């Protein structure tokens, strides 16, 4: 830290991303990436340098990408804005609707929310999850300040139904309700169909998970046009060329190849069910995840030691040293082969302590 940094930011604790070890020998199940490559059209779009025209600035209005997303989700283009990963959009949400005031979120959720709150001077009010890690919708009724909920939630993988989101919206008509749907394609119920009815609903999505494009950095927000104009206000006050021509071309190609991604998602859901059963057969507790990861606790073996032993054996998973969840590991769903490697290692490490 330099001595020039303003005092408010001196206590800022940045987000700690999962390890991105470039050593390919690791089975990487720690950052909820897709184990499958992007749709073939994505590589073709990136290779088409004649169309990309990199000597020019990209379209600051993101017209083609917004139109493509609008078509795919049954919206109008003025209900869409895109950014460099959904993290940017989540950050802007805190800046736009929370700065100087309060916002609500679950106590156990995507840990970046806490960082955004600190960065943009938002008082973050954390609502406890139930004992079983579920979100109780009634606890979010009539709060009087913006709400952010990851649905499915991370790192638990548990999802609220669309009917429950509707109840939260009905009970909070005057404040933005932001639903972070990073993992929704793996079995959650999207709130997108509610956009027509609720002008305060904001749905944020990403290309990083179900579309296998974590390295591209592209996220999207869906909301009513007035709300989208708020996002464009901050976007164009910071960097109107926030998405590169390559990013937009690749994202468009990804949206167009829905059948390819539907196959990848089906396989991830299939492997998830098998893995969850396997963990339970081994005596572990495993939440009913609707995301591309499992949240697992071994009855005896401390999660921290298990994380370390798996890493030493070449398998990376995520461990959170935080109250209530420090007995759990978050394990991203890989290919069937990668999960075999995980279980070989897991069984070997825990065999002495198994029931
Ligand atoms: N929301 C949740 C709940 C996440 O887990 C993540 C990924 N870490 C994101 C948003 C951000 O995704 P990205 O910035 O890659 O779009």
């Amino acid at each position: 830290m330099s001595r020039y940094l303003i005092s408010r930011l001196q206590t800022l604790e940045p987000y700690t991303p999962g390890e991105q070890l470039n050593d390919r020998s690791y089975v990487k199940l720690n950052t909820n990436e897709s184990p499958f490559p992007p749709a073939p059209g994505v590589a073709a779009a990136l290779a088409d340098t004649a169309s990309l025209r990199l000597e020019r600035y990209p379209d600051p209005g993101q017209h083609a990408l917004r139109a493509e997303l609008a078509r795919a989700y049954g919206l109008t283009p003025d209900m869409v804005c895109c950014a460099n990963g959904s993290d940017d959009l989540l950050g802007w949400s805190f800046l736009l609707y929370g700065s100087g005031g309060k916002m609500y979120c679950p106590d156990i959720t995507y840990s970046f929310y806490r960082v955004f709150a600190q960065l943009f001077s938002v008082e973050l009010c954390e609502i406890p999850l139930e004992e079983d890690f579920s979100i109780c919708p009634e606890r979010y009724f009539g709060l009087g300040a913006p709400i952010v909920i990851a649905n499915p939630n991370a790192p638990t993988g548990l999802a609220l139904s669309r009917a429950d989101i509707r109840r939260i919206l009905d009970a909070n008509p005057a404040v933005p309700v932001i639903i972070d749907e990073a993992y929704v394609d793996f079995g959650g119920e999207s709130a997108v169909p509610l956009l027509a009815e609720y002008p305060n609903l904001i749905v944020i999505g990403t290309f990083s998970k179900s579309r296998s494009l974590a390295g591209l950095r592209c996220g999207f927000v869906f909301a009513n046009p007035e709300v989208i104009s708020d996002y464009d206000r901050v976007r164009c006050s910071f960097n109107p060329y926030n998405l590169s021509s390559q990013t937009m071309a690749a994202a468009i190609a990804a949206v167009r190849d829905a059948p390819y991604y539907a196959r990848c998602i089906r396989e991830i859901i299939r492997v998830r069910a098998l893995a969850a059963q396997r963990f339970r057969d081994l005596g572990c507790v495993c939440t009913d995840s609707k995301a591309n990861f499992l949240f697992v606790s071994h009855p005896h073996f401390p999660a921290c030691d298990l994380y370390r032993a798996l890493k030493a054996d070449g398998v990376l998973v995520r461990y959170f040293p935080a109250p209530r969840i420090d007995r759990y590991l978050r394990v991203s769903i890989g290919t069937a082969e990668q999960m075999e490697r995980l279980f070989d290692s897991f069984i070997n490490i825990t065999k002495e302590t198994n029931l």
Side-chain angles (χ1 to χ4, degrees):
M1 186 190 314
S2 83
R3 63 198 160 107
Y4 315 113
L5 185 64
I6 58 167
S7 60
R8 191 174 68 74
L9 295 185
Q10 287 173 11
T11 52
L12 178 65
E13 280 183 52
Y15 176 71
T16 317
E19 298 154 285
Q20 284 296 346
L21 302 176
N22 288 325
D23 181 346
R24 286 192 175 246
S25 61
Y26 277 104
V27 175
K28 196 167 174 306
L29 305 175
N30 68 332
T31 48
N32 301 340
E33 292 145 325
S34 173
F36 302 114
V42 170
L46 290 171
D48 185 2
T49 47
S51 301
L52 286 173
R53 302 205 62 184
L54 292 178
E55 68 281 12
R56 292 266 167 92
Y57 280 109
D59 171 16
Q62 311 173 335
H63 291 95
L65 177 55
R66 290 184 190 197
E68 198 63 44
L69 280 165
R71 206 167 14 249
Y73 286 86
L75 304 169
T76 50
D78 57 0
M79 297 178 76
V80 184
C81 174
C82 300
N84 233 263
S86 58
D87 282 337
D88 270 9
L89 294 162
L90 289 162
W92 297 349
S93 308
F94 279 77
L95 172 63
L96 286 167
Y97 303 117
S99 220
K102 275 191 201 172
M103 282 176 75
Y104 287 91
C105 73
D107 63 338
I108 297 168
T109 189
Y110 186 29
S111 51
F112 220 142
Y113 300 162
R114 243 175 239 163
V115 181
F116 291 137
Q118 221 194 330
L119 179 60
F120 295 119
S121 303
V122 180
E123 184 196 337
L124 194 62
C125 305
E126 300 185 8
I127 300 185
L129 295 184
E130 305 308 290
E131 265 316 294
D132 62 359
F133 294 140
S134 62
I135 288 174
C136 171
E138 284 80 6
R139 289 186 191 255
Y140 292 80
F141 287 2
L143 292 179
I147 298 168
V148 190
I149 295 177
N151 192 41
N153 196 12
T156 65
L158 297 180
L160 284 173
S161 67
R162 188 179 301 133
D164 281 336
I165 300 285
R166 179 189 284 283
R167 289 166 65 220
I168 293 171
L169 285 159
D170 281 333
N172 292 282
V175 294
V177 175
I178 300 154
I179 308 296
D180 175 357
E181 294 195 346
Y183 300 106
V184 79
D185 294 337
F186 301 104
E189 276 187 336
S190 176
V192 166
L194 303 178
L195 283 166
E197 285 172 73
Y198 295 93
N200 58 328
L201 171 62
I202 299 173
V203 179
I204 294 182
T206 181
F207 283 80
S208 298
K209 315 293 180 184
S210 61
R211 289 195 178 89
S212 307
L213 285 169
L216 189 73
R217 310 307 300 130
C218 191
F220 47 90
V221 56
F222 298 146
N224 277 273
E226 298 74 35
V227 169
I228 291 300
S229 75
D230 297 341
Y231 284 88
D232 272 328
R233 179 180 290 258
V234 66
R235 184 178 72 85
C236 295
S237 302
F238 194 73
N239 181 2
Y241 304 115
N242 65 324
L243 290 188
S244 72
S245 305
Q246 292 105 315
T247 299
M248 291 191 277
I252 289 168
V255 177
R256 286 190 182 150
D257 204 342
Y260 170 84
Y261 288 113
R263 285 197 297 282
C264 296
I265 290 167
R266 266 201 304 279
E267 176 62 5
I268 288 168
I269 291 173
R270 186 187 75 83
V271 172
R272 178 181 71 199
L274 293 174
Q277 190 53 51
R278 196 117 183 241
F279 275 123
R280 290 186 185 121
D281 290 347
L282 291 166
C284 297
V285 173
C286 182
T287 58
D288 177 24
S289 173
K290 297 281 189 275
N292 65 340
F293 54 82
L294 291 172
F295 200 46
V296 186
S297 174
H298 190 277
H300 312 301
F301 215 97
C304 179
D305 297 348
L306 199 42
Y307 154 77
R308 278 205 213 97
L310 285 168
K311 184 172 175 185
D313 199 28
V315 180
L316 279 180
V317 298
R318 192 87 193 259
Y319 167 68
F320 300 94
R324 288 184 75 190
I325 56 170
D326 58 358
R327 294 179 48 79
Y328 282 77
L329 293 178
R330 193 195 68 190
V331 180
S332 307
I333 303 299
T335 60
E337 297 71 37
Q338 289 174 321
M339 300 312 275
E340 274 311 309
R341 263 283 281 123
L342 162 78
F343 281 109
D344 284 351
S345 185
F346 189 92
I347 291 167
N348 201 28
I349 294 162
T350 57
K351 62 177 180 267
E352 307 289 286
T353 55
N354 271 343
L355 296 170

